[in-house]
Amino acid sequence: MSNFGTGSRYEPKNTTNGEERQLTGEGEEEDEEDEEGNGRGMAAWERAYADERSWENLQEDESGILHAIDNKVLHHAQYRRRIRSLFSSATTSRIQKGLIRYLYIVIDLSRAASEMDFRPSRMAVVAKHVEAFIREFFDQNPLSHIGLVTIKDGVAQCLTDLGGSPDSHIKALMGKLECSGDSSLQNALDLVHGYLNQIPSYGHREVLILYSALSTCDPGDIMETIQKCKKSKIRCSVVGLSAEIYICKHLCQETGGSYTVALDESHFKELLLEHAPPPPAIAEFAIANLIKMGFPQRAAEGVVSICSCHKEAKVGGGYTCPRCKARVCELPIECQICGLTLVSSPHLARSYHHLFPITPFVEVSSSLVNNPHHRLPKTCFGCRQTFLAPGNKSSFHVACSKCNQHFCLDCDIYIHESLHNCPGCESRRFQSK
Amino acid sequence: MASITSKLYSDDVSLLVVLLDTNPFLWSGENTTTNSLSFPKFLTHVFSFLNSILLLNQLNQVVVIATGLNSCDYIYDSSSSPTTVESLENGRMPALCSKLLQNLEEFLARDQELNKDESPPGIASSLLSGSLSLALCYIQKVFRSGPLHPQPRILCLQGSSDGPEQYVAIMNAIFSAQRSMVPIDACVIGAQHSAFLQQASYITGGVYLKPPQLDGLFQYLSTVFSTDLQSRSFLQLPKPVGVDFRASCFCHKKTIDMGYICSVCLSIFCKHHKKCSTCGGHYLVSCKISGFQV
């Protein structure tokens, strides 16, 4: 007799159908004695099949022979595709980017979010990655604001208002993770449209919808809502978790956003984090404006004052608003008393690399590399890693077109994704042509 | 073998990347502060300090990058395969000095060759952004080398004044160091404080010091900058005081308390303008943004 009550602890990965899982679960219970254990008690060799899916690291070539996939080169090729798509339009001219963004994240908490094709459930995976996304977003866009909206039981509700502090959003999100009912795209768009109409005209209005459901239950004509959003210049993007849906595709096409569907958890994370850097801006969408901001100085140590954010007396630390002299705890923030936006110069400096991006490095052609007549550098300029792979052949690497220094693949990824400075160009005062 | 190495790799193994300022204008000029410390004397202080770092722990590593006037380059790497012949007698110490000096001489000769005729006289700034970028690339390589690696930190021995044209590049390097949790320490040996290095140390959690008496430089280096990151939590190190984070306006270059920011290119102005000088955006209305509810 098999135990039905305990359920299946060993879940096969590839099934999305609940019934199928139930049946195989029962089968596994009977084999419990034979195996080392399921779930927690698995031996390492079993984990390689159950958790890591080691068969996916192999691919066949034309003759049918299996090879292991070279992850490093694949990773680099992926990264190059991404960079190339970002720089596809004229690399010499600088694309205007929307730096002051007001972004609403719409999280679908309908019945479909409890599906377990993403472990442990779609909702949990979405919440985890949205937390990472919020932190990354404020890191890259310190002057922007985020708001959270959830869709549950066919109704859209605002979870948090547009604000600049990551912790309050994350706390609110983690507290409310239950899903039920249908999903309604139109209600969410209506709600967000109402809120985004109130923001200043220099801000870029964006919506990021994380959609798990395969349908939408709308009270009216969603096409009208889409046109309304388009007229209000709201850029809507969708990251789908199940399959491609026409209405989402139409929404994104009309409003100029991007529509992507995630294949698995790591792909979802990648797609989500693509929305963190500022998207190319359409000039008419936000009117250029001069925003008054304050640069507070740090208050002297040992000074006692009442902090305007917590409403209690604090000693030392903190910053003083230059207009109304109220004390605030952290930056960037809007002064509660007089409403002046308070920032420090590093916050502005965080966005400068979006305005002055470095051009992608070019690949060094292998024919040039192995030609003994050309004396090319043998080590990466950035990290002094040697290019010579075993066999004395120079491995694949890249070079900067401006300073002609050679870099290894890892430095290339680090320079373009995190550092935003070319070490070669920065280390030469006079660029030799 | 692997288990023995993991026992040796305790928390206090450090990788120290030293950025040496070799700006000839700084060292040969009429600067009154550096008159008390000539370049050879400075190097003896630094060599003693580097030796002491290597002696503190068998697994410590030191990398020296020279910040020149026209170029930056690696001068010394303690983990690169040593020419074992000279190091047999007294450990690694003589090899460090001679190798470092040799590489430094070659670097200075190359740097001088890169001088162009139209370079302005006076104390020009050295290429700090270049050497910071090189240091960070090297540190990323160390992070990639596996779970057992030393704790990296950067020490800038800087004397030249800040070059405003390097502001964006230095800030990019600072934010990248902050994300990788690499502290940037600064020991300023020039005449004036360096605002860039003060910000760097504050943002990344490093130590900033301008020693009042330069002939005791080794003392400052060995008491303040030689401890590993693990031990810093229970030491009283110089605290950051008076770090000025105010911005300067683009039109007059004076620091301002309140200013106007262009929403397109984030240029800072002290007075309301009709047109942005950086991005050319025209401002239609002078909006008093009285604060959107947070």
Side-chain angles (χ1 to χ4, degrees), chain A residues 322-336:
Chain A
R323 191 155 71 179
C324 66
K325 309 289 184 260
R327 182 197 183 280
V328 291
C329 284
E330 50 173 24
L331 297 179
I333 201 172
E334 278 194 27
C335 175
Q336 299 263 10

Side-chain angles (χ1 to χ4, degrees), chain A residues 179-220:
Chain A
C179 49
S180 64
D182 295 318
S183 155
S184 170
L185 205 53
Q186 185 184 5
N187 285 339
L189 287 174
D190 276 331
L191 184 70
V192 166
H193 176 262
Y195 283 122
L196 282 178
N197 267 344
Q198 297 166 14
I199 63 158
S201 57
Y202 55 77
H204 287 260
R205 301 154 187 205
E206 297 176 37
V207 181
L208 177 61
I209 306 175
L210 305 175
Y211 212 59
S212 314
L214 279 173
S215 58
T216 168
C217 247
D218 298 327

Side-chain angles (χ1 to χ4, degrees), chain A residues 96-97 99-100 102 136 139-140 143 145 161-164 195 198-202 287-298 319 322-323 334 338-340 344-353 355-356 381-385 408 410-411 414-415 417-423 426-431, chain B residues 69-74 114-116 119 124-127 129-131 133-134 136-138 140-141 144 165 167-173 175-176 178-180 199 202-203 244-247 250 256-266 268-269 271-273 281-285 287 289-294:
Chain A
Q96 196 180 84
K97 300 233 171 112
L99 293 173
I100 303 187
Y102 291 85
E136 178 71 21
D139 193 51
Q140 296 208 20
L143 302 172
H145 297 80
D161 286 321
L162 279 173
Y195 283 122
Q198 297 166 14
I199 63 158
S201 57
Y202 55 77
I287 307 170
N289 227 316
L290 275 183
I291 313 163
K292 197 173 170 79
M293 290 198 186
F295 298 98
Q297 279 195 306
R298 202 162 173 80
Y319 301 90
R323 191 155 71 179
E334 278 194 27
C338 65
L340 182 65
S344 63
S345 49
H347 292 124
L348 295 177
R350 267 186 210 281
S351 303
Y352 288 156
H353 71 85
L355 299 167
F356 310 113
F381 183 74
C383 62
R384 285 290 178 275
Q385 172 105 341
C408 63
D410 299 307
C411 279
Y414 172 66
I415 287 168
E417 297 202 335
S418 183
L419 185 58
H420 306 290
N421 284 345
C422 167
E426 293 301 323
S427 305
R428 291 277 176 273
R429 186 181 287 277
F430 306 111
Q431 297 285 359
Chain B
L69 183 63
N70 302 314
S71 60
C72 304
D73 206 0
Y74 284 85
L114 290 170
N115 264 335
K116 295 272 170 79
S119 49
S125 54
S126 54
L127 297 174
S129 57
S131 49
S133 307
L134 286 177
L136 287 168
C137 284
Y138 187 88
Q140 287 302 310
K141 181 180 89 167
R144 284 193 299 266
E165 69 276 1
Y167 177 66
V168 178
I170 290 184
M171 293 310 283
N172 284 340
F175 294 132
S176 184
Q178 186 193 26
R179 282 177 92 159
S180 326
Q199 288 199 20
Y202 184 79
I203 292 174
D244 195 351
F245 277 127
R246 290 179 301 174
F250 282 29
I256 46 173
D257 269 337
M258 275 193 291
Y260 294 90
I261 314 281
C262 169
S263 62
V264 174
C265 62
L266 299 186
I268 307 167
F269 302 106
K271 281 198 297 284
H272 195 82
H273 289 234
H282 285 264
Y283 302 122
L284 301 175
V285 182
C287 249
I289 311 301
S290 59
F292 176 74
Q293 281 304 109
V294 167

